């Protein structure tokens, strides 16, 4: 989801629809008392911290608000328009309280910026103020959130304080894909997922919240969204596809009007590992355990269940490190912490030991060189990879991330699945890239949580033959679960599911914009390629909350036969499906031959199928 509304392709009809879709605004939730006292871990005594490189900023509550504000503002000024640039930053807050009602701390979050607390609990770090993402102004009269990607917020409390006029009512997080909010506690005001203060309400393009407690949520013009294992005090508005899984306070299922899809419990989940400083001042990484059939936040009764790994057990990598050095450290039994930056990867970083943690800071990026597969996970259970970006390079890579080999000897563990969280795959954008597949999953019992595979439709190195890539995600393993799967613009099936007993909770897809003509985009007598394909041999599969959109602006006469393609068998069940036309092209059916077409006759109006078959 990208700049289709940001430039000349915008249409008055779509802009007007966005204004209508965001008309529902609500009053502020009642303010609650400031939290932070009596939390599980006290502020650590002064002690030198680890050397995490020049782009990690560590703040202490003894620092003045003015000094912290100057530091975070400098990062924001560099990153606010740095959509395709190489800079990466992490802003870390040690346990304590920052800002006051009289002198609040306001943090604005730009591209490739991670903001996180260093407490054992989210209540150990309290910011009296805001941590905001606003619309990005591409021109004075074109301020949108569609392209607000690649940033994150986690493990702290925001007591909404300060600012004036409409910004005073809530914490703004007007972001789209690849901008997760995890393990956050918001009190004293709303959480607002659209920015209705900068040039009026505008589109935002879908996001992800997990393990978070908040009051009322103003969804506004978010086209689609997944909230997982959280607590909310209410939710306003729905556009196309809003999914709640294991969320206390979520609205009941009412798809398609309004388009809410709610699961009482999440089938399989694991929260993202996080850095924290314990009571003795030791830096640790908490690695949450996987759970089944869960709901609510993991920290309601204390520390999230799991294990703590001292940071000394990690190899702390820098972008200047060679792959040989990193692989040598992994082979010795070290976990891997990638500090912010861009890593050139000329052969695979290979994880062969069970239960290894690969944690990236500041959306650290691996760039494929010479056709390498940048990350390969062996046939072992319990590997956890989080916060990582992977870019295709100019020589074609067969895949950007590969999980398991698919051999019969593959070991897996349903209670301890290999897990990918906040892993973002990109072909084109900052430069031309080539990859056959974004993510290839061969291991059974793999868990995918907030994955975005993106063949770029804007930026540098963009075009049908300039950044070719056939499939975003290919799942060959059995018993694989995806919670929050985004796959966009790939030239053939965006997602291919070959394994048995797969489950997807929330799927978002855009078909490729740039097919040059119908002859170039068809196969086996079928026009175009479906956005989500379950193999004909599969007997059991389930999907909740799926959307596929068409916008073929290079040739608006192009048709796609269907958004979803699945075998017709009792074990394959799909719930809450839709297709949407965004201004060009025609999608003839929602799933197989079921569902009305979407075309220029009704731009932005979904065609829906509540259940299939």
């Amino acid at each position: 989801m990208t700049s289709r509304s940001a430039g000349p392709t915008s249409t008055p009809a779509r802009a007007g629809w966005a204004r209508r879709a965001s008309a529902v605004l609500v009053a502020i939730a009642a303010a609650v008392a400031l939290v932070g006292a009596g939390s599980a871990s006290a502020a650590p005594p002064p002690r030198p911290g680890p050397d995490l490189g020049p782009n990690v900023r560590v703040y202490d509550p003894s620092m003045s608000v003015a000094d912290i504000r100057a530091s975070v503002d400098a990062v924001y000024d560099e990153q606010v328009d740095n959509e395709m640039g190489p800079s990466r930053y992490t802003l870390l807050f040690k346990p304590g309280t920052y800002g006051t009602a009289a002198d609040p701390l306001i943090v604005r979050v730009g591209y490739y910026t991670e903001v996180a607390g260093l407490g054992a609990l989210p209540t150990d770090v309290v910011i009296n103020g805001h941590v905001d993402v606003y619309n990005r102004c591409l021109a004075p009269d074109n301020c949108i959130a569609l392209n607000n990607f690649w940033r994150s917020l986690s493990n702290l409390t925001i007591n909404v304080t300060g600012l004036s006029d409409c910004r005073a009512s809530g914490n703004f997080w007007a972001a789209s894909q690849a901008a997760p909010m995890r393990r956050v506690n918001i009190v004293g005001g709303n959480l607002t997922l659209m920015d209705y203060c900068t040039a009026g309400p505008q589109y935002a393009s879908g996001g992800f919240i997990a393990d978070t407690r908040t009051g009322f949520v103003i969804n506004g013009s978010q086209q689609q969204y997944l909230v997982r294992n959280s607590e909310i005090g209410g939710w306003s508005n729905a556009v196309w596809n809003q999914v709640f899984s294991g969320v206390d306070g979520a609205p009941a299922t009412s798809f398609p009007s309004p388009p809410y899809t709610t699961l009482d419990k999440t089938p399989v989940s694991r929260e993202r590992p996080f850095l924290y400083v314990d009571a003795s001042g030791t830096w640790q990484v908490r690695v949450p355990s996987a759970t089944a059939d869960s709901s609510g936040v993991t920290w309601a009764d204390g520390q999230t269940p799991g294990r703590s790994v001292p940071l000394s057990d990690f190899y702390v990598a820098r972008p200047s490190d060679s792959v040989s050095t990193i692989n040598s450290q992994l082979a010795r039994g070290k976990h891997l912490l990638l500090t912010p930056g861009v890593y050139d990867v000329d052969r695979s970083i290979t994880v062969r030991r069970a239960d290894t943690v690969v944690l990236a800071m500041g959306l650290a990026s691996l760039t494929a060189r010479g056709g390498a597969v940048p990350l390969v996970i062996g046939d072992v259970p319990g590997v956890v990879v989080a916060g990582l970006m992977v870019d295709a390079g100019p020589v074609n890579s067969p895949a950007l991330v590969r999980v398991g080999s698919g051999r019969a000897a593959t070991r897996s563990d349903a209670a301890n699945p290999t897990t990918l969280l906040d892993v973002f795959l990109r072909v084109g954008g900052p430069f031309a890239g080539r990859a056959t597949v974004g993510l290839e999953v061969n291991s059974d019992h793999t868990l995918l949580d907030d994955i975005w595979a993106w063949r770029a439709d804007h930026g540098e190195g963009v075009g049908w033959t300039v950044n070719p890539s056939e499939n975003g995600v290919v799942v060959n393993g059995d018993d694989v679960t995806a919670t929050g799967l985004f796959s966009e613009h790939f030239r053939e099936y965006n997602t291919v599911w070959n394994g048995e007993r797969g489950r997807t909770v929330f799927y978002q897809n855009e078909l490729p914009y740039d097919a040059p003509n119908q002859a170039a985009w068809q196969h086996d007598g079928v026009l175009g390629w479906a956005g989500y394909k379950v193999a004909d041999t599969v007997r059991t599969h389930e999907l909740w909350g799926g959307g596929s959109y068409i916008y073929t602006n290079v040739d608006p006469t192009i048709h796609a036969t269907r958004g979803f393609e699945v075998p017709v068998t009792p074990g394959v069940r799909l719930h809450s499906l839709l297709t949407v036309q965004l201004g060009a092209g025609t999608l003839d059916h929602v799933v197989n031959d079921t569902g009305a077409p979407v075309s220029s006759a009704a731009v932005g109006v979904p065609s829906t199928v509540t259940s299939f078959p």
Side-chain angles (χ1 to χ4, degrees), residues 6 15 74 122 314 317 345 411 469 488 577:
F314 281 74
V345 179
R411 291 188 292 129
S469 190
E488 300 191 284
L577 304 180

Side-chain angles (χ1 to χ4, degrees), residues 58-119:
V58 181
Y59 304 108
D60 186 280
S62 65
M63 298 173 64
S64 72
V65 171
D67 286 346
I68 297 174
R69 186 183 296 122
S71 175
V72 299
D73 284 352
V75 172
Y76 177 76
D77 290 343
E78 179 181 345
Q79 298 300 99
V80 61
D81 290 317
N82 193 28
E83 183 178 356
M84 300 298 177
S87 297
R88 308 284 189 269
Y89 287 94
T90 293
L91 312 180
L92 298 175
F93 291 83
K94 286 187 174 182
T97 299
Y98 299 81
T100 65
D103 190 16
L105 177 60
I106 310 299
V107 181
R108 294 171 295 169
V109 186
Y111 286 101
Y112 310 112
T113 303
E114 172 189 22
V115 178
L118 286 171

Side-chain angles (χ1 to χ4, degrees), residues 26-30 186 189-191 212-218 227 230-236 244 247-251:
V26 297
I28 305 173
I186 297 177
N190 297 328
L191 170 61
T212 287
R213 177 183 288 161
T214 182
F216 201 90
V217 181
I218 298 175
V227 183
S230 293
E231 298 176 12
I232 63 175
W235 186 274
S236 80
F244 307 87
V247 178
D248 296 341

Side-chain angles (χ1 to χ4, degrees), residues 266-273 287-293 307 351 353-358 377-386 403-404 410-421 441 443-449 478-483 503:
T266 301
V268 182
S269 62
R270 189 201 293 267
E271 302 307 329
R272 174 173 164 168
V287 184
S289 301
T291 61
D293 297 323
R307 72 188 198 274
V351 180
R353 297 172 66 95
D355 299 315
T356 298
V357 177
V358 177
I377 299 169
D379 295 317
V380 295
V383 174
V384 179
V385 178
V403 181
T410 296
R411 291 188 292 129
S412 64
D413 183 350
N416 185 24
T418 284
T419 306
L420 276 60
L421 308 100
V441 179
S443 292
D444 297 343
H445 299 294
T446 300
L447 174 59
L448 309 175
D449 190 63
D478 294 335
D479 301 291
V480 173
T481 299
T483 49
R503 292 175 294 190

Side-chain angles (χ1 to χ4, degrees), residues 198-492:
T198 306
Q202 298 291 344
Y203 275 122
S205 175
F208 178 91
I209 292 173
D211 206 21
T212 287
R213 177 183 288 161
T214 182
F216 201 90
V217 181
I218 298 175
N219 176 62
S221 58
Q222 284 282 358
Q223 295 166 338
Q224 62 277 314
Y225 220 93
L226 173 63
V227 183
R228 180 183 64 67
N229 290 77
S230 293
E231 298 176 12
I232 63 175
W235 186 274
S236 80
N237 202 33
V239 181
W240 295 331
N241 185 29
Q242 320 287 315
V243 178
F244 307 87
S245 183
V247 178
D248 296 341
T253 294
S254 54
F255 188 91
S257 181
Y260 296 142
T261 303
T262 300
L263 289 73
D264 291 338
K265 296 182 181 297
T266 301
V268 182
S269 62
R270 189 201 293 267
E271 302 307 329
R272 174 173 164 168
F274 59 92
L275 277 166
Y276 74 100
V277 181
D278 69 16
S280 70
T282 301
W283 288 60
Q284 309 244 23
V285 173
R286 187 70 175 177
V287 184
S289 301
T291 61
D293 297 323
S294 61
S295 64
V297 299
T298 62
W299 43 273
D301 299 318
Q303 178 59 289
T304 296
R307 72 188 198 274
S308 289
V309 181
L311 189 57
S312 57
D313 288 353
F314 281 74
Y315 179 66
V316 179
R318 304 288 186 92
S320 57
D321 286 335
S322 67
V323 174
S324 295
T325 296
I326 292 172
N327 279 340
S328 175
Q329 294 291 329
L330 287 167
R332 291 174 54 196
K334 288 282 191 179
H335 303 280
L336 179 61
L337 183 75
L338 295 164
T339 59
V342 177
Y343 296 69
D344 287 334
V345 179
D346 57 2
R347 62 191 181 94
S348 299
I349 295 174
T350 305
V351 180
R352 293 192 173 95
R353 297 172 66 95
D355 299 315
T356 298
V357 177
V358 177
L359 180 60
M361 302 182 71
L363 290 96
S365 302
L366 309 180
T367 299
R369 298 300 181 195
V373 177
L375 179 64
V376 173
I377 299 169
D379 295 317
V380 295
V383 174
V384 179
V385 178
L388 184 66
M389 291 192 66
V390 186
D391 278 301
V395 178
N396 188 72
S397 295
L400 297 179
V401 174
R402 180 177 290 143
V403 181
S405 67
R407 295 192 296 265
T410 296
R411 291 188 292 129
S412 64
D413 183 350
N416 185 24
T418 284
T419 306
L420 276 60
L421 308 100
D422 303 337
V423 173
F424 310 131
L425 312 156
R426 188 166 61 178
V427 183
F431 41 74
R434 295 170 174 263
T436 304
V437 174
L439 170 62
E440 179 185 309
V441 179
N442 300 308
S443 292
D444 297 343
H445 299 294
T446 300
L447 174 59
L448 309 175
D449 190 63
D450 188 29
I451 305 298
W452 187 29
W454 185 60
R455 177 179 168 263
D457 62 300
H458 71 280
E460 299 296 325
V462 172
W464 190 250
T465 60
V466 179
N467 63 327
S469 190
E470 309 316 309
N471 310 115
V473 178
V474 175
V475 177
N476 299 316
D478 294 335
D479 301 291
V480 173
T481 299
T483 49
L485 184 58
F486 304 76
S487 186
E488 300 191 284
H489 310 309
F490 292 87
R491 302 198 312 177
E492 295 184 4

Side-chain angles (χ1 to χ4, degrees), residues 45-63:
R47 169 184 282 200
D51 182 1
L52 300 175
N55 285 11
V56 176
R57 310 281 195 265
V58 181
Y59 304 108
D60 186 280
S62 65
M63 298 173 64

